[in-house]
Amino acid sequence: MIPLSLAEVAKITGAEPSLVTDPGALARSVVIDSRQAGPGALFAALPGERVDGHDFAAAAVAAGAVGVLATRPTGVPALLTPDVPEALARLARAVVDSLPGLTIAGITGSVGKTTTKDLAAQLAERLGPTIAPHGSFNNEIGHPLTVLRATEATRYLVLELSARGAGHIARLCEIAPPRLGVVLCVGHARTGEFGGIAQVARAKGELPAALPPDGVALLNSDDPRVLAMADRTAARVVTFGRGGEATVRAADVRLDDGGRAAFTLVTPGGTAPVRLRLVGEHNVTNALAAAALAGELGLPAGEAAEGLSAAAPRSRWRMEVTERPDGVTVINDAYNANPEAMAAAIQTLAVVARGRRAFAVLGPMNELGGESRMRHEEAGGLAARAGVAGLIVVGEDAAPILSGARAERSWHGELLGVPDTGSAVAALGNLLEPGDVVLVKASRSAGLERVALALTGEAAQ
Ligand SMILES: Nc1ncnc2c1ncn2[C@@H]1O[C@H](COP(=O)(O)OP(=O)(O)OP(=O)(O)O)[C@@H](O)[C@H]1O
Ligand SMILES: [Mg+2]
């Protein structure tokens, strides 16, 4: 972060100093967890789900924080503002505006944002110092905190833009205006909250709409709803995708026994071979998006291909493959789920399992509104048609997966509905044999990582 005095922070945010004795004291970082507060930190007090940050203001200052950004006095040096997230947003924008050498790229879409962000960041790092959020730190708090990490040395900010409703992405684009914007896909994730897929498309389109005329909109030409966003941007359009018409595309895609894709990266600047370390064919599209973005930043195709081939997964529980000593392969994809990601995971399970017995442990996909039952039934059908040896469905909310699988009359695998993750682990104990492959997947709140971690022998977190 660029050091800012408390007086400067007050000026930028419009906050009112209270008990501040040294307005020249420099804030060198902004933290929202008092346990991370040390000398030079500015502690932003936020109301949490269980605790209120204001209760930890004194502890943060005792640990060395120069002050707190808060909505009410807490007996320590503070900058008081009615809206702490808004103050963080203003700080972030001020930092961005003071760094003319910074190039900002935003990535949005219904699935694959974190994966693509991690890949793109690893490519941008080859060109210069890059800052990207940890994990999915992509909401109205995480976004400004990530931006605030930038300094004069930073060349690239690679940001993940997530939306839970209309206007969210536009707002994130105001906090840190991107010159490059990637849209991956418009899928069924969170259609319940948005009201339908047309609304999802409109919200994702806020990113291309926010780009300047000298910017670049990178659009997935395999998804007609994304390609249509070319009409909503003043920026130059570059396409990526599996189809032959894409500017950046993949030729000769093949999968190894582990479900990892190899392909020839085809760009206007040249072609180069890629061998991904990430599991699942769906990652080809994520890789193409990252390569297209990096190409626009100036990375030659050969280097992009090298970078993609070297890129390791950075964010956990996304198609994380563990080989157990007894020969059982565990695919932990318990980070999240929606219909597109579920389909991709089941397809990958079938590839990895080729010739071995496949088991799927599936839980609910949240936030699908009126489509929920149908989408769960479809997932059950997919698993059955993929020929899994066993399907274990966890929790009442996921029950339509059972009926979807049952409807596939030609499938005769083991079908089990269990109430919770503990029962799923117990059931697997009886079913699994050396050589089997197990996929574990559900929305985050279902906690199915407990099943995966029990299977791999890691302690549950
Ligand atoms: N292109 C894709 N098509 C289908 N599924 C995908 C694709 N990319 C990633 N996935 C799957 O989607 C899930 C989430 O991936 P990732 O975390 O990259 O997405 P995200 O868009 O960041 O999600 P979130 O909205 O939760 O932040 C994982 O299970 C991953 O395997
Ligand atoms: Mg994410």
Side-chain angles (χ1 to χ4, degrees), residues 48 66 69 105 108 115 123 145 156 159 271 294 327 387 446 450:
V66 288
L69 199 54
T108 195
T115 308
L123 297 186
L145 288 177
Y156 306 104
L159 300 171
T271 64
R450 287 195 290 273

Side-chain angles (χ1 to χ4, degrees), residues 112-115 136 160 282 286 318-319 333 335-336 341 441:
K113 294 180 293 297
T114 296
T115 308
S136 278
E160 172 172 344
H282 57 278
N286 299 334
R318 291 163 181 82
M319 301 302 284
D333 199 31
Y335 168 72
N336 217 343
K441 185 159 184 73

Side-chain angles (χ1 to χ4, degrees), residues 354-452:
R354 230 173 340 213
R356 300 156 67 184
R357 294 198 311 165
F359 288 83
V361 185
L362 306 182
M365 299 179 279
N366 296 337
E367 303 171 334
L368 294 177
E371 295 187 352
S372 180
R373 164 166 285 278
M374 178 175 66
R375 300 293 171 205
H376 282 89
E377 285 172 355
E378 279 172 7
L382 276 178
R385 288 199 299 283
V388 295
L391 174 57
I392 296 165
V393 178
V394 188
E396 193 53 40
D397 293 344
I401 296 178
L402 292 168
S403 39
R406 235 177 254 123
E408 297 293 327
R409 298 269 173 235
S410 57
W411 177 67
H412 299 295
E414 190 89 36
L415 183 62
L416 276 180
V418 297
D420 50 39
T421 54
S423 337
V425 173
L428 285 162
N430 297 325
L431 287 169
L432 291 182
E433 290 170 11
D436 291 345
V437 184
V438 201
L439 165 73
V440 183
K441 185 159 184 73
S443 273
R444 187 73 193 82
S445 57
L448 252 62
E449 74 277 2
R450 287 195 290 273
V451 176

Side-chain angles (χ1 to χ4, degrees), residues 200-258:
V200 176
R202 207 166 304 140
K204 307 290 180 213
E206 291 169 13
L207 171 56
L211 297 172
D214 67 344
V216 190
L218 296 121
L219 303 178
N220 180 352
S221 50
D222 297 336
D223 185 329
R225 291 187 183 88
V226 175
L227 195 55
M229 294 173 193
D231 295 338
R232 283 187 68 185
T233 187
R236 181 164 55 87
V237 171
V238 169
T239 59
F240 62 89
R242 300 292 298 272
E245 72 290 351
T247 316
V248 175
R249 58 186 189 275
D252 193 20
V253 177
R254 59 236 178 255
L255 294 179
D256 70 11
D257 288 346

